[in-house]
Amino acid sequence: MKKFKQYLKINEEVRHALEQKKPVVALESTIISHGLPYPENLNTATEMERLIREKGAVPATIGVIEGQLKVGLTKEELYFFATDKSIIKASRRDLPYLTSQKLHGATTVASTMIIAEMAEIKVFATGGIGGVHRGAERSFDISADLQELAKTSVAVVCAGAKSILDIGLTLEYLETHGVPVIGFNTSAFPAFHTRESGYNVNFSAQTPKEISRLMRDKWLMNLIGGIVVANPIPAKSAMDPKVMNEGIHNAIKKAEVEGVTGKELTPFLLAELKELTHGKSLKANIDLVYNNGKLGAEIAVEFAKLRESEDHE
Ligand code: PSU
Ligand code: MN
């Protein structure tokens, strides 16, 4: 048995699906504990699971409870992540601390990818990825999500990256590390609340099936690492880029004045942005997460079909 398995706790439904090679979609818990306010966070997490099931895949929300790496959460556990204020945001560096001290942690994109890979889940749907922060040449603040995409073989379906980040540098970083960025029915790299960022994706795909083939080829060729599937926010939910940019500018200024850095910075900017846009960004955020959940499930379904047909060859 692989030694890391002792840390993993995969729930019955997910374990069954994985054994049967059925489609499974991983989901993160930082978005629940630190990305959205209560009760919207709980409703979103619950509805996300429902949407994924509706598309014929099994949702696997990931988080750390009492030092166990949990894959697939119960209703009570979702509630716990949505309401407990002591849960820390846990990225790669935090995992061994949590397991050795038997603590709780909400997993980021990076740590969710790690745990998904341990469980052999290949598709993960979320809101937005972390990236290179504006001013990173001074702060060195580059999200561990990018390093994870460089080395962990999971496809991450997201609505791009928020423009609280330097999107140009984020894309350069991904290019350096050989991470394909695929636009779903778009040539523009989306900026979370808006469908465009002023930057382009590397490639675009029109169907979930095309994306599943790219995943298969990348990993069959042993090109280890992740894939970013950039799925723009639905047009009806998208926000005005002018309003967003102004909000972002003010949020970053405030963070500088208050000296917010490190892992606190992303949640701080997100909360500020919500204030500044009077909750409109919250609705956009939830809509794009659902949109990603649905696409993630469709990709997982196609990927499972591909694997099945290969098993018969
Ligand atoms: N971007 C969002 N919402 C989020 C996050 C990012 O729009 O909730 C979370 C994700 O969990 C992501 C993490 O992995 O923040 C990145 O944090 P940092 O920049 O500290 O690496
Ligand atoms: Mn950071």
Side-chain angles (χ1 to χ4, degrees):
M1 193 180 92
K2 297 205 172 101
K3 287 209 175 113
F4 63 72
K5 298 226 161 150
Q6 63 187 297
Y7 299 99
L8 267 185
K9 185 107 172 107
I10 306 179
N11 81 4
E12 180 76 32
E13 186 193 14
V14 175
R15 193 158 41 83
H16 197 247
L18 290 168
E19 277 165 13
Q20 312 260 310
K21 300 195 168 139
K22 295 256 168 66
V24 178
V25 179
L27 302 166
E28 62 158 304
S29 44
T30 288
I31 191 173
I32 306 174
S33 299
H34 304 278
L36 298 168
Y38 181 81
E40 285 87 354
N41 55 358
L42 181 61
N43 298 338
T44 305
T46 309
E47 174 65 4
M48 190 69 167
E49 295 202 348
R50 193 192 64 78
L51 288 169
I52 288 170
R53 286 203 179 86
E54 196 174 73
K55 292 272 181 187
V58 171
T61 306
I62 290 177
V64 184
I65 300 181
E66 284 177 1
Q68 283 189 320
L69 313 181
K70 292 244 183 186
V71 180
L73 301 181
T74 63
K75 265 193 200 150
E76 292 71 29
E77 288 166 339
L78 283 180
Y79 180 81
F80 174 61
F81 279 106
T83 52
D84 192 291
K85 293 279 173 256
S86 71
I87 293 178
I88 68 162
K89 173 177 157 193
S91 196
R92 169 178 272 264
R93 67 148 188 219
D94 307 287
L95 291 180
Y97 175 68
L98 298 179
T99 57
S100 57
Q101 301 273 349
K102 306 215 178 323
L103 297 174
H104 319 303
T107 51
T108 62
V109 168
S111 51
T112 304
M113 288 177 76
I114 294 171
I115 298 168
E117 187 169 59
M118 286 181 184
E120 297 180 27
I121 300 172
K122 307 310 288 179
V123 184
F124 163 25
T126 187
I129 54 169
V132 180
H133 277 271
R134 298 191 194 180
E137 68 277 15
R138 281 173 287 118
S139 67
F140 268 45
D141 192 345
I142 299 174
S143 173
D145 293 354
L146 298 185
Q147 267 304 310
E148 212 56 57
L149 281 160
K151 62 187 167 215
T152 300
S153 300
V154 173
V156 181
V157 183
C158 64
K162 279 214 178 87
S163 359
I164 54 173
L165 303 169
D166 186 320
I167 292 187
L169 292 189
T170 299
L171 290 169
E172 288 294 344
Y173 195 101
L174 291 170
E175 179 183 343
T176 300
H177 290 279
V179 179
V181 177
I182 306 158
F184 184 64
N185 280 307
T186 183
S187 58
F189 184 74
F192 201 85
H193 302 101
T194 55
R195 292 176 59 85
E196 293 176 5
S197 61
Y199 294 89
N200 284 333
V201 290
N202 313 135
F203 324 103
S204 69
Q206 271 60 55
T207 62
K209 192 172 183 174
E210 286 172 49
I211 296 169
S212 71
R213 285 206 216 107
L214 186 142
M215 290 161 60
R216 175 200 57 192
D217 289 356
K218 176 167 162 67
W219 297 326
L220 277 181
M221 289 187 283
N222 255 328
L223 300 172
I224 292 165
I227 294 165
V228 174
V229 178
N231 187 28
I233 183 171
K236 65 173 176 18
S237 313
M239 295 190 58
D240 180 353
K242 257 217 211 109
V243 174
M244 245 17 260
N245 287 335
E246 212 180 278
I248 285 163
H249 184 77
N250 292 336
I252 291 176
K253 256 207 330 236
K254 189 161 173 193
E256 267 174 24
V257 170
E258 295 189 13
V260 182
T261 57
K263 70 183 222 176
E264 312 304 338
L265 182 60
T266 297
F268 178 89
L269 293 175
L270 299 182
E272 278 300 308
L273 220 52
K274 201 192 105 206
E275 284 291 307
L276 292 163
T277 58
H278 307 290
K280 256 198 225 154
S281 65
L282 178 61
K283 162 107 175 46
N285 196 339
I286 294 169
D287 288 353
L288 68 85
V289 167
Y290 292 158
N291 196 42
N292 296 339
K294 287 187 266 186
L295 179 59
E298 287 168 4
I299 294 170
V301 166
E302 290 303 329
F303 193 65
K305 275 193 214 157
L306 258 185
R307 277 185 167 174
E308 197 179 349
S309 64
E310 275 158 12
D311 286 348
H312 295 298
E313 273 167 17

